[in-house]
Amino acid sequence: MAEASQKIPVTVLTGYLGAGKTTLLNRILSENHGKKYAVIVNEFGEIGIDNDLIIGADEEVFEMNNGCVCCTVRGDLVRIMDGLMKRKGKFDAIIVETTGLADPAPVAQTFFVDEDVQRNARLDAVVTVADAKWLSDRLKDAPEAKNQIAFADVIVLNKTDLVSKPELAEVEARIRGINPYAKLHRTERCKVALADVLERGAFDLDRILEIEPDFLETGDDHDHDHHDHDHAHHHHDHGHDHGGLKHYHDEDMQSLSLRSDKPLDPTMFMPWLQQLVANEGQKILRSKGILAFAGDDDRYVFQGVHMMLEGDHQRKWKDGERRESRVVFIGRDLPEQAIRDGFEKCITT
Amino acid sequence: MSEFDPGEGPSIVSITDRVKPLALGVAVSSVHFLGDRACFVGAEETIAIATGEGEVTQTPVHGGAILCSVSDGKRLVTGGDDGKLVALDAKGETSTIATDARRRWIDNVALHGDGAVAWSAGKTAFVRSAKGEDKSFEVPSTVGGLAFAPKGLRLAIAHYGGVTLWFPNMAANPEFLEWAGSHLAVTFSPDNRFLVTAMHEPAMHGWRLADNRHMRMSGYPGRVRSMSWSAGGKGLATSGADTVIVWPFASKDGPMGKEPAMLAPLPARVSVVACHPKNDIMAAGYGDGTVLMIRLEDGAEILVRRNGGAAVSALAWNAKGTLLAFGAEDGDAGLLEM
């Protein structure tokens, strides 16, 4: 089994139609970074760069034969990865561009489920390009756009030159209402440092360091952790001001954060988590956790996509480090109270 | 079951010293015989042709990865990510059979006994008849595998959700054999009674063609990547487990309600299988580099290559059954004269 570092990193590039995916892709391919990328695109011809490692794909979403409707994979990706591996050594990383209407989950799940794909490649991050001018509208009328935001590890908020400051604050607040954990970069013409979108290791268990909401506003000493509160109201476009920072609670897509200072009982927590994703996996897009188990000196980390989970002991808790467990779910219509109650029962007394 | 180690086990007969080693220097993805010359298909660009004396010459065939290959003993046809379908003949000469207009990958290829050739790019399957007539057919999703029926001009096209049986020379509608899941490699039994697919999940599926009855062949820990019919089509040997799995096809019901034979267990996954063309023996390659010859009747084993090397990726017998060639992922290969 190849070590994680030897596996080829795969970046999934999503974004609604016209957001600027191709612009970002062209930038990645044309910039002088000394790396060679194999690119799997859904539409040939949009890329202006000559590269024999640009592969056209038909997005074929296959259900796995295990009776689980959300266990879908990209069949074409399995085949293309197989062929690409014959050219190992000819490229350093792979970028998978999805269509504007695609759900990123089947792409991500392909890297969890397929043995051969898993042996050779690792999912690096889901990068979503969003259009600052139109995203707010799309979040209202296009569930695909909302999925892509919810799923993202990195959000490139593009075309910021086309909106006013208040409009920008508005769209950012809407993004944060869905996914407060992704790294957000404001750009014009997708001008973002490539190190901010590539080689992120977002699915690497060893790199789950902390789970904190990401905010651009620095110097704002206001406590931003509003996504941890217990209320369960989901109003339409409900915005409220906290020290100048607007907060939205998306009507159907939200994140849910759980934490405990007391250690968790692994014999309670693991079955609860597995049961939760088995029952609610269709609603849970992403999950992540850092756990302190009773009687265990190691940090335990896990992450998941829908029903698929992977977890491992990461490292020893450091001296003086706060042994706090944190779990985050991003999903659609999450049964918040049931999840909170279930989590509470896993806390040792 | 007791574990055994072919590297040190004294009980196993070894003929490793009779193998002519070949250093090909390129990753091998398959091997086929043209006459008595072993043609090792590289992962990229070239075919390495080895004579019985162990001389190797490299023949360039593609401008990139070689994605598929097939041989009828007279010619070897390969498809590449350069969109080309290339034939190599017994004289060592190459010719381009077809070039995809959109330079799509040629994912699959099949040969018919009468000289027809079939290939696929994306969802489209193409057939060129022996007379040189081209026809194409599109299936609902990307073609996973192709196989010609042993009789008549009938092409099995495996894809997501089942297999389409297409008759390129007939106006009749293609037949569709449905089974949920993604179907990859496909093969007809030599007597034309059964059709079997290797699926994306670790299982195979079969149909009895007379009545389309289903046969589920599951239990594999890994995907089945290699299938080979034993002499006379009595059994279908497969990779994917840590033993060679041989499904019985001699009776009219095929493997329905029967257990497969499980031969030559090793603490490594079987990666490739090749049955002898005439006798009831076969060769199997493993993920740990081991190559064994196995008697189908009782599972008796002979060691051809020790473990410790790269995974075995290619195995083939010549038509007479006098030569066995094997190749590994790291370009190490060998030739054994029986």
Side-chain angles (χ1 to χ4, degrees), chain A residues 69-84:
Chain A
V69 286
C70 64
C71 288
T72 50
V73 298
R74 280 272 303 271
D76 57 315
L77 208 51
V78 173
R79 174 182 64 90
I80 289 168
M81 290 295 295
D82 212 37
L84 268 179

Side-chain angles (χ1 to χ4, degrees), chain A residues 108-175:
Chain A
Q109 289 174 167
T110 305
F111 292 85
F112 280 76
V113 164
D114 191 87
E115 193 186 19
D116 297 288
V117 171
Q118 216 173 35
R119 189 169 56 232
N120 295 308
R122 62 176 173 83
L123 195 54
D124 185 68
V126 176
V127 176
T128 299
V129 183
D131 183 326
K133 190 160 176 62
W134 295 109
L135 183 70
S136 295
D137 287 351
R138 292 297 80 77
L139 291 178
K140 288 177 200 151
D141 63 16
E144 299 87 355
K146 203 177 272 186
N147 256 342
Q148 292 164 357
I149 294 294
F151 219 92
D153 299 292
V154 176
I155 295 168
V156 177
L157 186 57
N158 194 32
K159 306 191 187 182
T160 52
D161 51 327
L162 302 183
V163 294
S164 65
K165 262 197 154 175
E167 281 174 316
L168 187 60
E170 166 92 12
V171 71
E172 279 178 14
R174 286 189 186 278
I175 289 172

